Amino acid sequence: MVKNANNYACNSTHIYEADVILKDIDVFVPQGYMEYRQARWNGGDHTNTQPLVPEPLQISSELQVHVASNDISKFALDNYLNLPLCTEPDSEGRWISIDAIPFDKSHLPKQDNFERVWLPYNCRLYPYSYEEFAECTSKKHNLIHWFGDSNTRRALKKISSMGSWCSKPDEVNTQLCKCNDNAESLGQQDPRLPMIPINIGPHSKIMHFRWGGLTQINNPPWLNTFSSDFANITDTPSVAIFALVNWDVAFSTRSFFIQQVEILLDKITEYYPSASTEIIVRTGQYYCCAYDQDIFWKRKFSRLRTLYFNQYITQAFQKRFGNERRVSIWDVSQLSERRPYKAREEAAQTCAPNHARAELVDIENQLLFNRLCN
């Protein structure tokens, strides 16, 4: 344990057991950290967001777990190409170094800036090009409604540019591609517009509705989207994507968020009554390693707070609509949470808005493409 005396006080120390399933052939060395005490991770219940200063737990370096080679294991990398294609964007997976791949690398999705690729355990990601995605949507999804914030904007910049946005070697390490693209247009459109139509292919379109979560700082208010003219503005989509949580974690209280989610679910029931409109819920971005020190914004980010909001929103959508239509969870949080600590720390220290850098946006989009096209 760490040396803090609170760790040994009978009335303040709790020890929990948990099972861990190690699926990959490797040698595992456990690490642990004490992140917060007295629920200080919850910025909604404290005047000031608490800094994360993790205390490393004292664990013997001799404690190792060896997972031996097993040729028949369905999780073995040698078996990856035999897996079925992924059809849901929340499949559990892990990051694998590109050098450890035992098969033709042309079968892989794009790699991150640490030369690792995301491989699910139980299914295989087809590496869709943006042109293939445009062809797919023209056949399967002529109209998509997409409600989201600046993270959505970054995803759509990749899609609308057919992947060329922030793809050149001399661009990827610029601040715009790593973090802040707020001043840049979305194609030829002003990204501050409340609604932007984006043509993907000859017969497919995304209607992007700009929302800053379900917060009170939306301008115009998010509820204004569902006006009496909504049905006249656009046809019924085959898919509606709701990208929430990021702004809600940063600027709302838990109770206000829960209240607004219920209002949103009612609006979806009213304005998307047909079960033919499938729903995709995009989680908030994973948050790691630091706290927001921006004097103007004063965001209430923390890892556990984001985790709670993500769990609430996904369960709420599944409970309300899961029995009547297809509801998928686009889990972008898992992607970043399972990256090496160095990669997570780099993102936290270099991007106050907590945006995913462009290489990771490509990988997040692959999860969506496989969901919509497989």
Side-chain angles (χ1 to χ4, degrees):
M1 296 288 289
V2 295
K3 296 180 180 180
N4 191 300
N6 288 326
N7 296 332
Y8 305 99
C10 295
N11 62 347
S12 63
T13 301
H14 303 273
I15 299 176
Y16 303 92
E17 292 185 3
D19 293 327
V20 177
I21 300 175
L22 304 175
K23 299 179 179 179
D24 287 299
I25 299 165
D26 212 330
V27 178
F28 295 86
V29 179
Q31 293 178 324
Y33 297 89
M34 185 75 71
E35 292 186 332
Y36 293 100
R37 302 177 189 280
Q38 302 174 330
R40 291 285 176 173
W41 54 269
N42 189 1
D45 293 337
H46 295 87
T47 303
N48 297 311
T49 302
Q50 301 297 302
L52 172 58
V53 185
E55 307 168 45
L57 301 178
Q58 295 178 4
I59 302 175
S60 172
S61 59
E62 297 179 0
L63 180 57
Q64 298 181 352
V65 179
H66 294 253
V67 179
S69 176
N70 185 345
D71 293 335
I72 64 173
S73 171
K74 65 177 181 179
F75 303 121
L77 288 177
D78 289 334
N79 189 54
Y80 179 75
L81 295 182
N82 296 323
L83 296 174
L85 290 174
C86 296
T87 57
E88 291 296 332
D90 63 345
S91 297
E92 185 183 10
R94 74 291 206 196
W95 291 95
I96 301 293
S97 172
I98 198 76
D99 296 330
I101 300 299
F103 49 81
D104 184 354
K105 295 177 178 58
S106 65
H107 296 286
L108 294 172
K110 292 185 177 182
Q111 63 194 49
D112 72 355
N113 57 308
F114 283 81
E115 297 186 341
R116 291 173 178 261
V117 290
W118 175 257
L119 300 183
Y121 285 114
N122 294 307
C123 63
R124 173 170 53 92
L125 285 174
Y126 178 82
Y128 282 98
S129 67
Y130 285 90
E131 289 77 13
E132 287 175 317
F133 175 66
E135 182 179 356
C136 155
T137 53
S138 292
K139 295 177 180 178
K140 295 185 175 183
H141 303 287
N142 300 121
L143 180 62
I144 297 172
H145 284 184
W146 193 334
F147 303 83
D149 55 22
S150 51
N151 293 280
T152 287
R153 180 186 67 221
R154 292 172 73 81
L156 289 173
K157 284 182 178 180
K158 279 288 189 182
I159 293 172
S160 62
S161 68
M162 293 292 109
S164 65
W165 179 74
C166 283
S167 63
K168 298 177 182 178
D170 60 341
E171 295 177 333
V172 293
N173 286 316
T174 62
Q175 187 66 8
L176 181 147
C177 298
K178 290 197 301 181
C179 177
N180 196 344
D181 61 312
N182 293 345
E184 185 188 46
S185 63
L186 174 52
Q188 301 299 317
Q189 305 269 16
D190 183 343
R192 295 169 296 181
L193 293 173
M195 183 181 70
I196 300 177
I198 300 173
N199 294 318
I200 309 174
H203 305 293
S204 59
K205 177 188 293 185
I206 292 176
M207 294 295 293
H208 167 45
F209 300 89
R210 181 179 61 82
W211 282 6
L214 305 177
T215 63
Q216 291 179 302
I217 59 177
N218 275 295
N219 186 20
W222 69 268
L223 264 173
N224 286 15
T225 303
F226 300 110
S227 65
S228 57
D229 295 330
F230 184 75
N232 298 325
I233 294 173
T234 177
D235 295 327
T236 301
S238 62
V239 176
I241 302 174
F242 295 90
L244 304 169
V245 170
N246 298 300
W247 282 57
D248 304 289
V249 167
F251 302 115
S252 287
T253 63
R254 182 184 67 89
S255 57
F256 182 81
F257 176 64
I258 291 174
Q259 178 191 59
Q260 296 299 295
V261 168
E262 291 304 309
I263 296 173
L264 172 61
L265 297 179
D266 291 340
K267 290 298 179 182
I268 293 173
T269 300
E270 179 182 356
Y271 286 90
Y272 298 107
S274 173
S276 62
T277 298
E278 300 174 352
I279 293 174
I280 297 177
V281 181
R282 175 177 165 133
T283 66
Q285 302 297 125
Y286 171 73
Y287 190 76
C288 167
C289 317
Y291 72 111
D292 182 35
Q293 301 181 54
D294 190 301
I295 297 175
F296 176 73
W297 286 106
K298 297 182 180 180
R299 303 173 180 92
K300 300 174 183 176
F301 282 137
S302 80
R303 182 183 69 83
L304 293 175
R305 189 170 154 82
T306 303
L307 178 63
Y308 173 84
F309 277 55
N310 279 339
Q311 289 177 339
Y312 184 87
I313 193 74
T314 56
Q315 291 171 4
F317 268 81
Q318 289 170 329
K319 182 178 179 180
R320 175 70 73 93
F321 302 114
N323 292 329
E324 67 182 48
R325 67 180 84 192
R326 186 176 179 185
V327 177
S328 296
I329 308 304
W330 181 9
D331 193 349
V332 298
S333 180
Q334 178 188 190
L335 285 181
S336 293
E337 183 175 12
R338 299 200 173 194
R339 298 183 82 196
Y341 190 82
K342 180 180 179 181
R344 288 178 278 151
E345 188 177 37
E346 177 205 58
Q349 292 176 347
T350 59
C351 189
N354 201 35
H355 290 153
R357 57 183 295 149
E359 297 96 328
L360 203 60
V361 173
D362 273 321
I363 301 167
E364 293 173 347
N365 282 348
Q366 280 297 322
L367 302 184
L368 176 66
F369 296 174
N370 277 259
R371 158 61 178 84
L372 293 176
C373 300
N374 290 343

